[in-house]
Amino acid sequence: MKILIACVLSLICFSTASVAALQTGKTVTVPHHKSTHVVLSGKAAKVSLGDPEVLDIVILKSNELFLIGKKLGATNLMAWDSRGQLIESINIEVTHDLNSLKAKLYEFLPDETIEVHSAQNRLLLSGQVSNQQQMNVAMRIAETYSSGQTADKSNESGSEQADATGVINLMSIGGAQQVMLEVTVAEVQRSLVRKFDANFHFFQTSGSDFSWGASSVPAGVLGATPIFNIPTSTDYGILGSFIDSNTLFTFALDVAKQNGVAKVLAEPNLTALSGSKAEFLAGGEFPIPVPDEDGITIEYKEYGVGLKFIPTVLSDKKINLNLAVDVSEIANTSSLTIDPGTTNATYFIPPITRRSASSTLELADGQTIGIAGLLSENVRDISNKMPGFGDVPILGQLFNSQEYISGETELVILVTPRLAKPIDRSKVTLPTDAFVDPNDLEYYLLGRGAYIAEPSESDSEQSQASQDISPTDGGSEGSFGHDL
């Protein structure tokens, strides 16, 4: 009986000692391919290691150990004293060398806040970085400390990416990821036309059977009628005539000088998410007849102000742009006339005047660059004269017809990308806000039509306040459109 009680008491004491030892157990983290010094709570006579492939131990003294990480993973270590009592139970995790990785990330990305964690055989990167380029750098650095061997591929899923690289990307990109592109197309055309044209008719009758004369307009010689080449509404000229019983002399001088100036200004604005394509068109379509086996079909051709671009936010200071700008309009001259034989219809197809440019460039937020420019000068001088008589000084001008045409075109296309962030909708001014419709009294009695109201001082203060709104991360910020 005494022996039985002693055995029960010894079992209870052993169980208590084991529970105490387990309760005092701790977790030790060992970097991969590095060692950690551990001091046991007592002198160990026997040490047991859970998974020798994960960890290797070196016993320095009976209560001092060196733990060497061999493979990423988790295991445990247990130590007994000479009496067979469990004196230590240690949970061990062999992780990546996180301190070295943190130091390397800080060396290459000192301005980024990146947190590094280890979970089993995976590296976890979390935090917020400023742009995609910095995220890619962090991932490449982390791959050198992970078990993955292949490069990160953006077209793969997250799980496949983690399997290939050994790195789980939990980082997010902060800041504005939308880009508003401001495009300015400015063109000025100057033209100068000088025109001089002389037409005359001289007819002399000598007797009843003989007559003679000269004319710069052969169609009127035989009829012997006065010829007045009356200038059209776009020309200016001088007319004169002399008539008696035997002599007829008429002349018309078409002298004109024309100056023309044309201005083309287009300013399309468009906002798009980083990496997404955006298109803008303000214009219309005109029909073009196309013959086919069934007769005539109609196709439509776009014209107007068109803008296409793909922005990529490289950082909070750089924006990559792939853009195409197109400004076209229908011309009023040199139309193509088509008269198909199968129908009685006649089709007039006007030409299109087009200015376009496409480019890929890199700019900072708010910077402006000219992507296209044109300075064109055309000169044409035409002279028609009668041989011999046209070379006579002064009087030879009556036998001359001259036309001088000079044209200059200057074109500039500017682009300005801006990182877009949100603003207060109540402080946004629309172009239609200043449009005022007259009431019945103003329209019928005062004869007042619709008009654009002048901006007041309160509107100016409100517009200034809208520019002073503090931006937040992401969204779309800035002015949109134009105030008339």
Side-chain angles (χ1 to χ4, degrees):
M1 185 66 180
K2 293 181 179 180
I3 298 175
L4 180 60
I5 294 174
C7 292
V8 172
L9 290 176
S10 62
L11 288 175
I12 293 174
C13 293
F14 180 77
S15 300
T16 304
S18 299
V19 172
L22 291 175
Q23 289 178 349
T24 59
K26 56 185 177 182
T27 300
V28 177
T29 301
V30 181
H32 193 203
H33 297 309
K34 287 190 176 183
S35 61
T36 300
H37 180 256
V38 175
V39 178
L40 302 178
S41 58
K43 294 183 179 182
K46 182 175 68 173
V47 177
S48 174
L49 186 60
D51 189 355
E53 294 184 359
V54 174
L55 188 72
D56 196 3
I57 60 174
V58 176
I59 301 177
L60 301 178
K61 296 180 181 180
S62 59
N63 64 338
E64 292 185 19
L65 301 177
F66 250 18
L67 307 182
I68 303 173
K70 297 171 57 178
K71 178 182 177 182
L72 296 176
T75 184
N76 68 328
L77 182 145
M78 302 180 70
W80 290 268
D81 58 11
S82 57
R83 294 178 297 175
Q85 293 182 354
L86 183 65
I87 61 174
E88 196 75 71
S89 177
I90 304 175
N91 295 321
I92 302 173
E93 293 183 4
V94 178
T95 64
H96 302 84
D97 192 357
L98 300 183
N99 291 332
S100 297
L101 176 56
K102 291 178 182 179
K104 193 64 67 175
L105 290 174
Y106 181 78
E107 178 182 351
F108 285 91
L109 306 172
D111 298 328
E112 305 295 341
T113 303
I114 302 175
E115 298 179 1
V116 181
H117 305 276
S118 179
Q120 295 297 328
N121 60 341
R122 296 286 188 266
L123 269 176
L124 281 75
L125 299 184
S126 62
Q128 188 179 80
V129 294
S130 59
N131 55 77
Q132 183 67 42
Q133 183 179 7
Q134 303 292 70
M135 178 183 289
N136 293 337
V137 171
M139 289 293 294
R140 296 302 184 271
I141 295 175
E143 287 171 11
T144 62
Y145 287 82
S146 67
S147 59
Q149 300 297 327
T150 58
D152 179 7
K153 296 182 180 179
S154 58
N155 59 348
E156 294 182 351
S157 65
S159 59
E160 294 176 348
Q161 183 182 34
D163 291 338
T165 64
V167 181
I168 299 177
N169 184 8
L170 300 180
M171 295 180 293
S172 61
I173 299 177
Q177 293 301 306
Q178 297 183 123
V179 178
M180 183 181 70
L181 185 65
E182 300 176 1
V183 178
T184 301
V185 180
E187 180 182 15
V188 174
Q189 299 176 356
R190 295 181 293 268
S191 62
L192 171 63
V193 178
R194 292 193 182 104
K195 184 177 181 182
F196 179 85
D197 193 6
N199 294 331
F200 74 93
H201 182 123
F202 175 76
F203 186 78
Q204 176 69 38
T205 302
S206 299
S208 58
D209 297 329
F210 179 75
S211 62
W212 60 281
S215 174
S216 62
V217 185
V221 174
L222 296 178
T225 57
I227 298 175
F228 294 98
N229 189 8
I230 300 177
T232 63
S233 59
T234 59
D235 297 330
Y236 297 88
I238 300 175
L239 306 176
S241 66
F242 174 78
I243 303 175
D244 64 3
S245 59
N246 297 323
T247 303
L248 169 64
F249 177 75
T250 63
F251 70 92
L253 300 180
D254 183 2
V255 182
K257 181 179 181 181
Q258 179 181 354
N259 290 309
V261 177
K263 170 187 173 182
V264 176
L265 178 63
E267 294 183 308
N269 291 354
L270 189 59
T271 304
L273 187 66
S274 176
S276 301
K277 182 179 181 180
E279 298 184 10
F280 173 88
L281 176 64
E285 297 180 341
F286 70 92
I288 298 177
V290 178
D292 60 4
E293 297 178 354
D294 299 329
I296 300 295
T297 60
I298 301 298
E299 294 184 0
Y300 290 88
K301 177 67 175 179
E302 294 181 348
Y303 69 92
V305 179
L307 173 62
K308 299 179 182 179
F309 82 110
I310 302 176
T312 302
V313 179
L314 302 179
S315 67
D316 55 350
K317 299 179 181 180
K318 289 185 180 180
I319 303 172
N320 180 275
L321 292 176
N322 185 350
L323 62 92
V325 183
D326 189 289
V327 179
S328 57
E329 59 184 350
I330 299 178
N332 297 322
T333 59
S334 304
S335 297
L336 176 62
T337 303
I338 298 179
D339 188 6
T342 57
T343 62
N344 295 326
T346 301
Y347 300 94
F348 297 93
I349 304 176
I352 294 181
T353 302
R354 181 180 179 186
R355 284 82 71 197
S356 63
S358 60
S359 178
T360 301
L361 54 146
E362 188 174 299
L363 293 174
D365 180 21
Q367 284 188 336
T368 301
I369 193 172
I371 65 168
L374 171 67
L375 183 60
S376 176
E377 182 176 357
N378 298 318
V379 177
R380 183 176 62 180
D381 193 356
I382 302 174
S383 177
N384 296 321
K385 61 183 178 180
M386 181 181 295
F389 293 98
D391 297 328
V392 177
I394 302 177
L395 293 179
Q397 287 294 101
L398 296 177
F399 301 90
N400 272 349
S401 176
Q402 294 180 338
E403 185 176 14
Y404 175 84
I405 301 176
S406 175
E408 295 180 352
T409 300
E410 187 172 358
L411 170 68
V412 175
I413 300 178
L414 305 177
V415 295
T416 305
R418 301 185 186 274
L419 293 176
K421 296 179 181 178
I423 59 175
D424 191 349
R425 175 61 182 85
S426 62
K427 294 181 174 59
V428 176
T429 302
L430 298 178
T432 54
D433 293 344
F435 187 85
V436 180
D437 289 323
N439 54 35
D440 292 343
L441 178 62
E442 293 175 337
Y443 185 80
Y444 291 107
L445 186 60
L446 301 179
R448 177 179 295 178
Y451 62 94
I452 303 295
E454 295 293 333
S456 60
E457 294 182 359
S458 60
D459 295 335
S460 301
E461 295 176 356
Q462 180 178 358
S463 176
Q464 181 65 28
S466 65
Q467 298 177 2
D468 296 338
I469 297 176
S470 59
T472 58
D473 292 338
S476 25
E477 165 198 11
S479 60
F480 298 84
H482 311 276
D483 294 338
L484 299 178

